[in-house]
Each structure stands twice: as structure tokens, then as C-alpha cells.
Short mmCIF file of all heavy atoms in Angstrom, two decimals:
data_model
loop_
_atom_site.label_atom_id
_atom_site.label_comp_id
_atom_site.label_asym_id
_atom_site.label_seq_id
_atom_site.Cartn_x
_atom_site.Cartn_y
_atom_site.Cartn_z
N ASN A 82 -9.24 14.72 0.47
CA ASN A 82 -8.01 14.75 -0.28
C ASN A 82 -7.65 13.37 -0.70
O ASN A 82 -7.70 12.42 0.06
CB ASN A 82 -6.95 15.35 0.62
CG ASN A 82 -5.69 15.73 -0.11
OD1 ASN A 82 -5.58 15.55 -1.33
ND2 ASN A 82 -4.71 16.25 0.59
N SER A 83 -7.27 13.20 -1.96
CA SER A 83 -6.88 11.88 -2.48
C SER A 83 -5.57 11.97 -3.23
O SER A 83 -5.15 13.03 -3.66
CB SER A 83 -7.98 11.28 -3.34
OG SER A 83 -8.14 12.06 -4.51
N GLN A 84 -4.93 10.81 -3.37
CA GLN A 84 -3.68 10.73 -4.09
C GLN A 84 -3.84 9.64 -5.13
O GLN A 84 -4.44 8.60 -4.86
CB GLN A 84 -2.55 10.35 -3.15
CG GLN A 84 -2.36 11.35 -2.05
CD GLN A 84 -1.58 10.73 -0.92
OE1 GLN A 84 -2.11 9.87 -0.23
NE2 GLN A 84 -0.36 11.17 -0.75
N TRP A 85 -3.27 9.84 -6.32
CA TRP A 85 -3.35 8.88 -7.39
C TRP A 85 -2.03 8.83 -8.10
O TRP A 85 -1.42 9.87 -8.39
CB TRP A 85 -4.45 9.32 -8.35
CG TRP A 85 -4.49 8.47 -9.59
CD1 TRP A 85 -3.95 8.76 -10.79
CD2 TRP A 85 -5.19 7.25 -9.77
NE1 TRP A 85 -4.20 7.78 -11.71
CE2 TRP A 85 -4.96 6.80 -11.10
CE3 TRP A 85 -5.94 6.44 -8.94
CZ2 TRP A 85 -5.49 5.63 -11.59
CZ3 TRP A 85 -6.45 5.29 -9.47
CH2 TRP A 85 -6.25 4.86 -10.77
N THR A 86 -1.52 7.66 -8.38
CA THR A 86 -0.28 7.49 -9.17
C THR A 86 -0.34 6.20 -9.92
O THR A 86 -1.17 5.32 -9.61
CB THR A 86 0.96 7.55 -8.25
OG1 THR A 86 2.12 7.62 -9.05
CG2 THR A 86 1.06 6.34 -7.35
N HIS A 87 0.47 6.07 -10.92
CA HIS A 87 0.54 4.81 -11.67
C HIS A 87 1.98 4.54 -12.09
O HIS A 87 2.78 5.46 -12.22
CB HIS A 87 -0.38 4.83 -12.87
CG HIS A 87 0.00 5.85 -13.92
ND1 HIS A 87 0.85 5.57 -14.93
CD2 HIS A 87 -0.34 7.13 -14.09
CE1 HIS A 87 1.03 6.62 -15.70
NE2 HIS A 87 0.31 7.62 -15.17
N GLU A 88 2.30 3.26 -12.24
CA GLU A 88 3.60 2.81 -12.72
C GLU A 88 3.32 2.06 -14.01
O GLU A 88 3.08 0.88 -14.01
CB GLU A 88 4.23 1.87 -11.69
CG GLU A 88 4.48 2.50 -10.33
CD GLU A 88 5.66 3.46 -10.38
OE1 GLU A 88 6.62 3.20 -11.14
OE2 GLU A 88 5.62 4.47 -9.66
N GLY A 89 3.34 2.75 -15.13
CA GLY A 89 3.02 2.12 -16.38
C GLY A 89 1.56 1.81 -16.49
O GLY A 89 0.73 2.43 -15.82
N ASN A 90 1.21 0.83 -17.29
CA ASN A 90 -0.20 0.47 -17.52
C ASN A 90 -0.75 -0.53 -16.53
O ASN A 90 -1.96 -0.79 -16.51
CB ASN A 90 -0.37 -0.04 -18.94
CG ASN A 90 -0.14 1.00 -19.97
OD1 ASN A 90 -0.42 2.20 -19.74
ND2 ASN A 90 0.40 0.60 -21.11
N ASN A 91 0.12 -1.17 -15.74
CA ASN A 91 -0.35 -2.29 -14.94
C ASN A 91 -0.32 -2.10 -13.43
O ASN A 91 -0.62 -3.02 -12.69
CB ASN A 91 0.42 -3.55 -15.33
CG ASN A 91 0.08 -4.02 -16.69
OD1 ASN A 91 -1.10 -4.18 -17.00
ND2 ASN A 91 1.07 -4.24 -17.52
N ALA A 92 0.09 -0.94 -12.94
CA ALA A 92 0.15 -0.77 -11.49
C ALA A 92 -0.43 0.62 -11.17
O ALA A 92 -0.11 1.60 -11.82
CB ALA A 92 1.55 -0.88 -10.96
N ILE A 93 -1.27 0.65 -10.15
CA ILE A 93 -1.85 1.92 -9.69
C ILE A 93 -1.77 2.00 -8.17
O ILE A 93 -1.68 0.97 -7.48
CB ILE A 93 -3.32 2.06 -10.14
CG1 ILE A 93 -4.22 0.96 -9.57
CG2 ILE A 93 -3.43 2.18 -11.65
CD1 ILE A 93 -5.68 1.20 -9.77
N ALA A 94 -1.80 3.17 -7.68
CA ALA A 94 -1.82 3.39 -6.21
C ALA A 94 -2.76 4.58 -5.94
O ALA A 94 -2.82 5.53 -6.70
CB ALA A 94 -0.43 3.70 -5.71
N PHE A 95 -3.50 4.43 -4.85
CA PHE A 95 -4.53 5.42 -4.49
C PHE A 95 -4.55 5.62 -2.99
O PHE A 95 -4.66 4.63 -2.25
CB PHE A 95 -5.87 4.91 -4.99
CG PHE A 95 -7.00 5.86 -4.73
CD1 PHE A 95 -7.16 6.97 -5.52
CD2 PHE A 95 -7.89 5.60 -3.72
CE1 PHE A 95 -8.25 7.83 -5.32
CE2 PHE A 95 -8.95 6.46 -3.49
CZ PHE A 95 -9.12 7.58 -4.29
N GLY A 96 -4.44 6.86 -2.54
CA GLY A 96 -4.50 7.13 -1.11
C GLY A 96 -5.67 8.05 -0.81
O GLY A 96 -6.12 8.82 -1.62
N ARG A 97 -6.19 7.91 0.42
CA ARG A 97 -7.30 8.73 0.91
C ARG A 97 -6.82 9.50 2.15
O ARG A 97 -7.28 9.23 3.26
CB ARG A 97 -8.53 7.93 1.22
CG ARG A 97 -9.19 7.30 -0.02
CD ARG A 97 -9.81 8.35 -0.91
NE ARG A 97 -10.94 8.96 -0.25
CZ ARG A 97 -11.44 10.13 -0.56
NH1 ARG A 97 -10.94 10.83 -1.56
NH2 ARG A 97 -12.46 10.60 0.07
N GLY A 98 -5.92 10.46 1.90
CA GLY A 98 -5.41 11.24 2.99
C GLY A 98 -4.80 10.39 4.09
O GLY A 98 -3.99 9.51 3.79
N ASP A 99 -5.21 10.59 5.35
CA ASP A 99 -4.67 9.84 6.46
C ASP A 99 -5.54 8.63 6.81
O ASP A 99 -5.41 8.04 7.85
CB ASP A 99 -4.48 10.72 7.69
CG ASP A 99 -5.77 11.29 8.22
OD1 ASP A 99 -6.84 11.06 7.59
OD2 ASP A 99 -5.73 11.95 9.27
N ARG A 100 -6.43 8.26 5.89
CA ARG A 100 -7.41 7.14 6.21
C ARG A 100 -7.00 5.82 5.62
O ARG A 100 -7.42 4.77 6.14
CB ARG A 100 -8.78 7.54 5.66
CG ARG A 100 -9.26 8.81 6.36
CD ARG A 100 -10.63 9.11 5.98
NE ARG A 100 -11.48 8.08 6.57
CZ ARG A 100 -12.78 8.12 6.56
NH1 ARG A 100 -13.39 9.10 5.98
NH2 ARG A 100 -13.48 7.16 7.11
N GLY A 101 -6.22 5.77 4.54
CA GLY A 101 -5.86 4.49 3.97
C GLY A 101 -5.14 4.66 2.65
O GLY A 101 -5.02 5.76 2.09
N PHE A 102 -4.59 3.54 2.14
CA PHE A 102 -3.81 3.56 0.91
C PHE A 102 -3.89 2.17 0.30
O PHE A 102 -3.85 1.16 1.04
CB PHE A 102 -2.36 3.91 1.22
CG PHE A 102 -1.60 4.39 0.02
CD1 PHE A 102 -1.45 5.74 -0.21
CD2 PHE A 102 -1.05 3.50 -0.88
CE1 PHE A 102 -0.79 6.19 -1.35
CE2 PHE A 102 -0.34 3.93 -1.98
CZ PHE A 102 -0.22 5.29 -2.22
N ILE A 103 -4.01 2.09 -1.03
CA ILE A 103 -3.99 0.81 -1.70
C ILE A 103 -3.07 0.92 -2.93
O ILE A 103 -3.04 1.96 -3.60
CB ILE A 103 -5.41 0.34 -2.12
CG1 ILE A 103 -5.36 -1.06 -2.68
CG2 ILE A 103 -6.05 1.33 -3.10
CD1 ILE A 103 -6.74 -1.71 -2.80
N ALA A 104 -2.32 -0.14 -3.18
CA ALA A 104 -1.47 -0.21 -4.36
C ALA A 104 -1.69 -1.58 -4.99
O ALA A 104 -1.70 -2.62 -4.29
CB ALA A 104 -0.02 -0.04 -3.96
N LEU A 105 -1.92 -1.59 -6.30
CA LEU A 105 -2.24 -2.84 -7.03
C LEU A 105 -1.30 -3.01 -8.20
O LEU A 105 -0.96 -2.05 -8.90
CB LEU A 105 -3.68 -2.79 -7.53
CG LEU A 105 -4.76 -2.54 -6.50
CD1 LEU A 105 -6.08 -2.22 -7.21
CD2 LEU A 105 -4.91 -3.75 -5.61
N ASN A 106 -0.91 -4.26 -8.48
CA ASN A 106 -0.04 -4.59 -9.58
C ASN A 106 -0.72 -5.65 -10.42
O ASN A 106 -1.01 -6.76 -9.96
CB ASN A 106 1.30 -5.11 -9.04
CG ASN A 106 2.23 -5.57 -10.14
OD1 ASN A 106 1.99 -5.34 -11.31
ND2 ASN A 106 3.31 -6.22 -9.76
N ASN A 107 -0.99 -5.35 -11.70
CA ASN A 107 -1.62 -6.28 -12.59
C ASN A 107 -0.65 -6.80 -13.66
O ASN A 107 -1.07 -7.31 -14.70
CB ASN A 107 -2.83 -5.62 -13.28
CG ASN A 107 -3.70 -6.61 -14.03
OD1 ASN A 107 -3.90 -7.71 -13.57
ND2 ASN A 107 -4.15 -6.24 -15.19
N SER A 108 0.65 -6.63 -13.44
CA SER A 108 1.64 -7.10 -14.43
C SER A 108 2.03 -8.55 -14.13
O SER A 108 1.57 -9.13 -13.12
CB SER A 108 2.86 -6.21 -14.43
OG SER A 108 3.62 -6.43 -13.27
N ASP A 109 2.88 -9.09 -14.94
CA ASP A 109 3.37 -10.48 -14.75
C ASP A 109 4.60 -10.54 -13.83
O ASP A 109 5.06 -11.63 -13.49
CB ASP A 109 3.72 -11.07 -16.09
CG ASP A 109 2.51 -11.29 -16.97
OD1 ASP A 109 1.38 -11.45 -16.44
OD2 ASP A 109 2.68 -11.26 -18.22
N GLU A 110 5.14 -9.38 -13.44
CA GLU A 110 6.34 -9.33 -12.61
C GLU A 110 6.14 -8.41 -11.41
O GLU A 110 5.34 -7.49 -11.46
CB GLU A 110 7.53 -8.83 -13.43
CG GLU A 110 7.87 -9.72 -14.59
CD GLU A 110 9.03 -9.17 -15.41
OE1 GLU A 110 9.70 -8.22 -14.94
OE2 GLU A 110 9.28 -9.68 -16.49
N ALA A 111 6.88 -8.67 -10.36
CA ALA A 111 6.86 -7.78 -9.19
C ALA A 111 7.42 -6.43 -9.57
O ALA A 111 8.26 -6.33 -10.47
CB ALA A 111 7.67 -8.40 -8.07
N ILE A 112 6.92 -5.41 -8.93
CA ILE A 112 7.33 -4.02 -9.17
C ILE A 112 7.75 -3.41 -7.81
O ILE A 112 7.01 -3.48 -6.84
CB ILE A 112 6.23 -3.19 -9.76
CG1 ILE A 112 5.78 -3.74 -11.10
CG2 ILE A 112 6.65 -1.75 -9.93
CD1 ILE A 112 4.52 -3.11 -11.67
N SER A 113 8.95 -2.84 -7.77
CA SER A 113 9.42 -2.12 -6.56
C SER A 113 9.03 -0.66 -6.73
O SER A 113 9.36 -0.06 -7.75
CB SER A 113 10.91 -2.26 -6.42
OG SER A 113 11.26 -3.59 -6.16
N VAL A 114 8.38 -0.11 -5.73
CA VAL A 114 7.94 1.28 -5.79
C VAL A 114 8.25 2.00 -4.48
O VAL A 114 8.35 1.40 -3.43
CB VAL A 114 6.41 1.37 -6.05
CG1 VAL A 114 6.06 0.84 -7.42
CG2 VAL A 114 5.59 0.70 -4.96
N THR A 115 8.42 3.30 -4.61
CA THR A 115 8.43 4.22 -3.46
C THR A 115 7.34 5.21 -3.71
O THR A 115 7.33 5.86 -4.78
CB THR A 115 9.79 4.88 -3.29
OG1 THR A 115 10.79 3.87 -3.05
CG2 THR A 115 9.76 5.86 -2.11
N LEU A 116 6.40 5.32 -2.79
CA LEU A 116 5.22 6.15 -3.01
C LEU A 116 5.03 7.17 -1.90
O LEU A 116 5.41 6.92 -0.76
CB LEU A 116 3.95 5.25 -3.07
CG LEU A 116 3.96 4.20 -4.19
CD1 LEU A 116 2.85 3.19 -3.94
CD2 LEU A 116 3.79 4.86 -5.53
N ALA A 117 4.48 8.32 -2.27
CA ALA A 117 4.16 9.35 -1.29
C ALA A 117 2.78 9.03 -0.71
O ALA A 117 1.93 8.52 -1.40
CB ALA A 117 4.15 10.72 -1.98
N THR A 118 2.62 9.37 0.57
CA THR A 118 1.36 9.14 1.24
C THR A 118 1.14 10.21 2.33
O THR A 118 2.10 10.78 2.79
CB THR A 118 1.30 7.75 1.89
OG1 THR A 118 0.04 7.55 2.54
CG2 THR A 118 2.39 7.55 2.90
N GLN A 119 -0.11 10.40 2.68
CA GLN A 119 -0.44 11.30 3.76
C GLN A 119 -0.70 10.54 5.07
O GLN A 119 -1.09 11.10 6.05
CB GLN A 119 -1.64 12.19 3.41
CG GLN A 119 -1.35 13.14 2.28
CD GLN A 119 -2.55 13.92 1.84
OE1 GLN A 119 -3.69 13.59 2.20
NE2 GLN A 119 -2.35 14.94 1.06
N LEU A 120 -0.47 9.21 5.04
CA LEU A 120 -0.61 8.43 6.25
C LEU A 120 0.45 8.90 7.27
O LEU A 120 1.57 9.23 6.91
CB LEU A 120 -0.40 6.95 5.99
CG LEU A 120 -1.50 6.26 5.19
CD1 LEU A 120 -1.05 4.82 4.80
CD2 LEU A 120 -2.80 6.20 5.95
N PRO A 121 0.09 8.91 8.55
CA PRO A 121 1.09 9.28 9.58
C PRO A 121 2.22 8.25 9.59
O PRO A 121 2.04 7.09 9.22
CB PRO A 121 0.30 9.22 10.87
CG PRO A 121 -1.14 9.33 10.47
CD PRO A 121 -1.26 8.71 9.11
N ASP A 122 3.40 8.69 10.02
CA ASP A 122 4.53 7.78 10.14
C ASP A 122 4.15 6.60 11.02
O ASP A 122 3.42 6.74 11.99
CB ASP A 122 5.74 8.50 10.78
CG ASP A 122 6.39 9.49 9.83
OD1 ASP A 122 5.98 9.59 8.65
OD2 ASP A 122 7.32 10.17 10.29
N GLY A 123 4.65 5.41 10.64
CA GLY A 123 4.36 4.22 11.43
C GLY A 123 4.39 2.99 10.55
O GLY A 123 4.69 3.05 9.34
N GLU A 124 4.08 1.83 11.15
CA GLU A 124 4.05 0.59 10.42
C GLU A 124 2.61 0.20 10.10
O GLU A 124 1.74 0.29 10.97
CB GLU A 124 4.71 -0.52 11.23
CG GLU A 124 4.83 -1.83 10.46
CD GLU A 124 5.65 -2.85 11.20
OE1 GLU A 124 6.90 -2.77 11.10
OE2 GLU A 124 5.05 -3.72 11.84
N TYR A 125 2.37 -0.22 8.86
CA TYR A 125 1.05 -0.57 8.40
C TYR A 125 1.08 -1.97 7.80
O TYR A 125 1.89 -2.28 6.94
CB TYR A 125 0.56 0.43 7.32
CG TYR A 125 0.37 1.82 7.89
CD1 TYR A 125 1.42 2.71 8.00
CD2 TYR A 125 -0.87 2.20 8.36
CE1 TYR A 125 1.24 3.95 8.52
CE2 TYR A 125 -1.07 3.46 8.92
CZ TYR A 125 0.02 4.35 8.98
OH TYR A 125 -0.18 5.57 9.55
N VAL A 126 0.13 -2.80 8.22
CA VAL A 126 0.02 -4.17 7.73
C VAL A 126 -0.81 -4.19 6.47
O VAL A 126 -1.83 -3.49 6.36
CB VAL A 126 -0.63 -5.08 8.79
CG1 VAL A 126 -0.87 -6.50 8.26
CG2 VAL A 126 0.25 -5.13 10.05
N ASN A 127 -0.39 -4.98 5.51
CA ASN A 127 -1.13 -5.21 4.29
C ASN A 127 -2.30 -6.15 4.63
O ASN A 127 -2.17 -7.36 4.66
CB ASN A 127 -0.22 -5.86 3.24
CG ASN A 127 -0.94 -6.25 1.96
OD1 ASN A 127 -2.15 -6.24 1.89
ND2 ASN A 127 -0.14 -6.62 0.96
N VAL A 128 -3.44 -5.59 4.92
CA VAL A 128 -4.58 -6.41 5.39
C VAL A 128 -5.13 -7.32 4.29
O VAL A 128 -5.75 -8.31 4.59
CB VAL A 128 -5.72 -5.55 6.00
CG1 VAL A 128 -5.24 -4.86 7.27
CG2 VAL A 128 -6.29 -4.56 5.01
N TYR A 129 -4.86 -7.01 3.03
CA TYR A 129 -5.29 -7.90 1.95
C TYR A 129 -4.54 -9.22 2.02
O TYR A 129 -5.11 -10.28 1.76
CB TYR A 129 -5.04 -7.22 0.59
CG TYR A 129 -5.45 -8.10 -0.58
CD1 TYR A 129 -6.80 -8.27 -0.89
CD2 TYR A 129 -4.50 -8.77 -1.31
CE1 TYR A 129 -7.18 -9.06 -1.96
CE2 TYR A 129 -4.87 -9.56 -2.37
CZ TYR A 129 -6.19 -9.72 -2.69
OH TYR A 129 -6.57 -10.53 -3.74
N ALA A 130 -3.24 -9.18 2.39
CA ALA A 130 -2.40 -10.38 2.42
C ALA A 130 -2.25 -10.95 3.83
O ALA A 130 -1.59 -11.92 4.02
CB ALA A 130 -1.02 -10.06 1.82
N ALA A 131 -2.86 -10.31 4.84
CA ALA A 131 -2.71 -10.72 6.22
C ALA A 131 -3.88 -11.58 6.70
O ALA A 131 -4.91 -11.67 6.05
CB ALA A 131 -2.57 -9.45 7.09
N THR A 132 -3.70 -12.10 7.87
CA THR A 132 -4.79 -12.80 8.55
C THR A 132 -5.09 -12.08 9.86
O THR A 132 -4.17 -11.54 10.50
CB THR A 132 -4.43 -14.26 8.85
OG1 THR A 132 -3.23 -14.32 9.60
CG2 THR A 132 -4.25 -15.07 7.55
N GLN A 133 -6.31 -12.11 10.28
CA GLN A 133 -6.73 -11.45 11.52
C GLN A 133 -6.96 -12.51 12.58
O GLN A 133 -7.66 -13.49 12.35
CB GLN A 133 -7.97 -10.63 11.31
CG GLN A 133 -8.30 -9.74 12.50
CD GLN A 133 -9.48 -8.84 12.23
OE1 GLN A 133 -10.35 -9.13 11.42
NE2 GLN A 133 -9.53 -7.72 12.92
N SER A 134 -6.38 -12.28 13.75
CA SER A 134 -6.54 -13.24 14.86
C SER A 134 -7.83 -12.93 15.61
O SER A 134 -8.49 -11.89 15.36
CB SER A 134 -5.35 -13.14 15.82
OG SER A 134 -5.35 -11.90 16.43
N ASP A 135 -8.18 -13.81 16.53
CA ASP A 135 -9.40 -13.66 17.30
C ASP A 135 -9.39 -12.37 18.14
O ASP A 135 -10.44 -11.84 18.44
CB ASP A 135 -9.58 -14.85 18.23
CG ASP A 135 -9.94 -16.12 17.45
OD1 ASP A 135 -10.43 -15.99 16.30
OD2 ASP A 135 -9.73 -17.23 17.99
N ASP A 136 -8.19 -11.89 18.51
CA ASP A 136 -8.14 -10.68 19.32
C ASP A 136 -8.15 -9.40 18.49
O ASP A 136 -8.02 -8.31 19.02
CB ASP A 136 -6.94 -10.70 20.27
CG ASP A 136 -5.61 -10.63 19.53
OD1 ASP A 136 -5.59 -10.54 18.31
OD2 ASP A 136 -4.56 -10.64 20.23
N GLY A 137 -8.29 -9.54 17.17
CA GLY A 137 -8.40 -8.40 16.29
C GLY A 137 -7.10 -7.86 15.71
O GLY A 137 -7.12 -6.93 14.93
N THR A 138 -5.97 -8.47 16.12
CA THR A 138 -4.69 -8.03 15.53
C THR A 138 -4.46 -8.69 14.17
O THR A 138 -5.04 -9.73 13.87
CB THR A 138 -3.51 -8.36 16.47
OG1 THR A 138 -3.49 -9.79 16.67
CG2 THR A 138 -3.67 -7.66 17.81
N TRP A 139 -3.63 -8.04 13.36
CA TRP A 139 -3.33 -8.54 12.02
C TRP A 139 -1.92 -9.06 11.95
O TRP A 139 -1.02 -8.51 12.53
CB TRP A 139 -3.48 -7.40 11.01
CG TRP A 139 -4.89 -6.97 10.81
CD1 TRP A 139 -5.55 -5.97 11.48
CD2 TRP A 139 -5.83 -7.50 9.89
NE1 TRP A 139 -6.82 -5.86 11.03
CE2 TRP A 139 -7.05 -6.80 10.06
CE3 TRP A 139 -5.78 -8.52 8.94
CZ2 TRP A 139 -8.16 -7.06 9.30
CZ3 TRP A 139 -6.90 -8.79 8.19
CH2 TRP A 139 -8.10 -8.07 8.37
N ASP A 140 -1.72 -10.18 11.27
CA ASP A 140 -0.40 -10.77 11.04
C ASP A 140 -0.19 -10.91 9.55
O ASP A 140 -0.93 -11.61 8.86
CB ASP A 140 -0.32 -12.14 11.73
CG ASP A 140 1.07 -12.75 11.61
OD1 ASP A 140 2.04 -11.99 11.56
OD2 ASP A 140 1.14 -13.99 11.53
N GLY A 141 0.82 -10.20 9.04
CA GLY A 141 1.14 -10.30 7.61
C GLY A 141 2.22 -9.30 7.24
O GLY A 141 2.79 -8.62 8.10
N PRO A 142 2.47 -9.17 5.95
CA PRO A 142 3.49 -8.25 5.49
C PRO A 142 3.11 -6.82 5.86
O PRO A 142 1.94 -6.47 5.89
CB PRO A 142 3.53 -8.46 3.98
CG PRO A 142 2.35 -9.25 3.63
CD PRO A 142 1.78 -9.89 4.87
N ALA A 143 4.14 -6.00 6.08
CA ALA A 143 3.91 -4.59 6.51
C ALA A 143 4.85 -3.68 5.73
O ALA A 143 5.86 -4.10 5.18
CB ALA A 143 4.13 -4.48 8.00
N VAL A 144 4.48 -2.41 5.72
CA VAL A 144 5.37 -1.35 5.22
C VAL A 144 5.49 -0.32 6.30
O VAL A 144 4.65 -0.17 7.16
CB VAL A 144 4.86 -0.71 3.91
CG1 VAL A 144 4.74 -1.71 2.79
CG2 VAL A 144 3.50 -0.05 4.14
N THR A 145 6.59 0.42 6.26
CA THR A 145 6.83 1.49 7.19
C THR A 145 6.75 2.81 6.47
O THR A 145 7.45 3.03 5.48
CB THR A 145 8.22 1.34 7.85
OG1 THR A 145 8.27 0.08 8.54
CG2 THR A 145 8.50 2.46 8.84
N VAL A 146 5.88 3.69 6.96
CA VAL A 146 5.78 5.04 6.45
C VAL A 146 6.67 5.94 7.26
O VAL A 146 6.64 5.91 8.49
CB VAL A 146 4.31 5.56 6.51
CG1 VAL A 146 4.24 7.03 6.12
CG2 VAL A 146 3.41 4.75 5.61
N ALA A 147 7.54 6.70 6.56
CA ALA A 147 8.45 7.65 7.25
C ALA A 147 8.57 8.87 6.35
O ALA A 147 8.78 8.74 5.12
CB ALA A 147 9.81 7.01 7.47
N ASP A 148 8.38 10.03 6.90
CA ASP A 148 8.50 11.28 6.17
C ASP A 148 7.61 11.31 4.93
O ASP A 148 8.00 11.82 3.85
CB ASP A 148 9.96 11.53 5.77
CG ASP A 148 10.88 11.68 6.97
OD1 ASP A 148 10.43 12.25 8.00
OD2 ASP A 148 12.05 11.22 6.90
N GLY A 149 6.41 10.75 5.06
CA GLY A 149 5.43 10.84 3.96
C GLY A 149 5.66 9.91 2.83
O GLY A 149 5.11 10.10 1.74
N GLN A 150 6.50 8.85 3.02
CA GLN A 150 6.78 7.90 1.94
C GLN A 150 6.88 6.49 2.49
O GLN A 150 7.17 6.28 3.67
CB GLN A 150 8.13 8.20 1.28
CG GLN A 150 8.19 9.49 0.53
CD GLN A 150 9.52 9.57 -0.23
OE1 GLN A 150 10.27 8.61 -0.34
NE2 GLN A 150 9.79 10.72 -0.77
N PHE A 151 6.67 5.52 1.59
CA PHE A 151 6.97 4.14 1.91
C PHE A 151 7.41 3.44 0.64
O PHE A 151 7.12 3.83 -0.46
CB PHE A 151 5.77 3.42 2.52
CG PHE A 151 4.61 3.17 1.58
CD1 PHE A 151 4.50 2.00 0.86
CD2 PHE A 151 3.64 4.17 1.38
CE1 PHE A 151 3.46 1.79 0.00
CE2 PHE A 151 2.56 3.95 0.50
CZ PHE A 151 2.48 2.78 -0.19
N SER A 152 8.19 2.37 0.86
CA SER A 152 8.65 1.55 -0.26
C SER A 152 8.00 0.17 -0.11
O SER A 152 7.81 -0.32 1.00
CB SER A 152 10.16 1.40 -0.25
OG SER A 152 10.77 2.65 -0.48
N ALA A 153 7.66 -0.43 -1.27
CA ALA A 153 7.01 -1.73 -1.24
C ALA A 153 7.37 -2.50 -2.49
O ALA A 153 7.67 -1.94 -3.55
CB ALA A 153 5.51 -1.58 -1.11
N GLU A 154 7.27 -3.82 -2.40
CA GLU A 154 7.38 -4.73 -3.52
C GLU A 154 5.98 -5.17 -3.82
O GLU A 154 5.34 -5.85 -3.03
CB GLU A 154 8.26 -5.92 -3.15
CG GLU A 154 8.53 -6.85 -4.26
CD GLU A 154 9.71 -6.47 -5.15
OE1 GLU A 154 10.38 -5.47 -4.83
OE2 GLU A 154 9.97 -7.20 -6.10
N LEU A 155 5.46 -4.75 -5.00
CA LEU A 155 4.10 -5.13 -5.37
C LEU A 155 4.17 -6.42 -6.19
O LEU A 155 4.66 -6.44 -7.29
CB LEU A 155 3.46 -4.01 -6.22
CG LEU A 155 3.40 -2.64 -5.59
CD1 LEU A 155 2.71 -1.65 -6.56
CD2 LEU A 155 2.71 -2.64 -4.26
N GLU A 156 3.70 -7.48 -5.61
CA GLU A 156 3.69 -8.78 -6.26
C GLU A 156 2.59 -8.82 -7.36
O GLU A 156 1.59 -8.12 -7.20
CB GLU A 156 3.47 -9.90 -5.26
CG GLU A 156 4.56 -10.02 -4.21
CD GLU A 156 5.94 -10.36 -4.79
OE1 GLU A 156 5.99 -11.08 -5.79
OE2 GLU A 156 6.94 -9.91 -4.21
N PRO A 157 2.80 -9.66 -8.37
CA PRO A 157 1.76 -9.72 -9.43
C PRO A 157 0.48 -10.38 -8.89
O PRO A 157 0.46 -11.04 -7.93
CB PRO A 157 2.40 -10.58 -10.50
CG PRO A 157 3.62 -11.16 -9.93
CD PRO A 157 3.97 -10.42 -8.67
#
């Protein structure tokens, strides 16, 4: 099962059920979005913008999924 959405011509989002989600912004300005997802409720770190420590934990910006949705600011 997959999910696909777009915000105009410069932002896309794609989910793979409960396995992962990616949202990309190719515009010149930040875009605020609220997206549906099949990820379980919880906090998810943006691993693209995060750093991983020696113990395997990630430190970086995060989003919270609640009731099948999350809100995020997609930077350019």
C-alpha cells in the first residue's frame, strides 16, 4: 500500500504504509503541510536532516503522528 500527494508543482509526499514516509519541497519558500499517513502514532525523526550518534540514536527535527496525520514545515 502506498500514498502519494502533491502541493502544487514543487512539493511531493510519498508513504509506504507503516514502513516510512518522505516529503520533499523543491520551491523557493517553505511550505506548511498536514499530511495523512499510515505510520503508527508516535514521534518520528527526520533522518535526512538528523545526525546519528554512536549508540544508533538519531538527533534532529521530528514530527508527531497522531490519528493518521502529521503537520510539518517543508524547507526549500
Side-chain angles (χ1 to χ4, degrees):
N82 192 0
S83 66
Q84 301 160 291
W85 172 265
T86 190
H87 65 89
E88 298 287 326
N90 293 327
N91 289 310
I93 60 170
F95 181 77
R97 292 293 292 159
D99 63 355
R100 299 186 69 173
F102 200 96
I103 187 166
L105 304 168
N106 176 10
N107 191 40
S108 72
D109 294 332
E110 298 179 11
I112 300 171
S113 295
V114 295
T115 298
L116 299 168
T118 180
Q119 293 175 347
L120 290 171
D122 288 356
E124 185 171 279
Y125 294 86
V126 174
N127 175 350
V128 295
Y129 179 77
T132 56
Q133 189 175 26
S134 66
D135 290 338
D136 67 1
T138 60
W139 291 91
D140 183 32
V144 298
T145 300
V146 172
D148 298 324
Q150 293 187 11
F151 69 93
S152 295
E154 183 87 2
L155 304 181
E156 298 297 328

